[in-house]
Amino acid sequence: MLFWYDRGAGGWSWFAMSVGMVLFWALVVTAGVLLYRALARTAPPGGEHAGWRGERPPGAPTPERILAERYARGEIEDEEYRRRLATLRSSDGGPEKP
């Protein structure tokens, strides 16, 4: 379409086409590399990657352990520790009703 209406293309249109072509191929190559990296990941010996189904990776601290560490460092008081621990251990996961 470049030659139909303008009887030739100026230097800027060739430059724009060249930049557009380079950007297009850069996008195609980047998408290919990302797709390859996503599909070529090796799974650990257990099978699936940890965390894909909401599971904690082995050795990750539990919420109760994090809370206990904060209590041990003195970041939270006794009452707040007990309240938060009770919330964590409650079956519905929400705050306890008085």
Side-chain angles (χ1 to χ4, degrees), residues 56 60-70 81 84-85 88:
R56 227 181 260 105
T62 63
E64 290 182 13
R65 182 170 176 93
I66 294 171
L67 184 64
E69 289 173 1
R70 288 187 62 201
Y81 172 74
R84 290 181 182 223
L85 187 61
L88 285 173

Side-chain angles (χ1 to χ4, degrees), residues 37-87:
R37 289 183 67 194
L39 296 176
R41 288 185 182 166
T42 58
E48 295 185 44
H49 291 281
W52 283 16
R53 296 187 182 243
E55 299 157 356
R56 227 181 260 105
T62 63
E64 290 182 13
R65 182 170 176 93
I66 294 171
L67 184 64
E69 289 173 1
R70 288 187 62 201
Y71 178 67
R73 286 192 301 258
E75 294 178 10
I76 56 177
E77 300 294 323
D78 292 339
E79 180 183 329
E80 185 177 0
Y81 172 74
R82 288 188 188 103
R83 181 176 48 84
R84 290 181 182 223
L85 187 61
T87 302

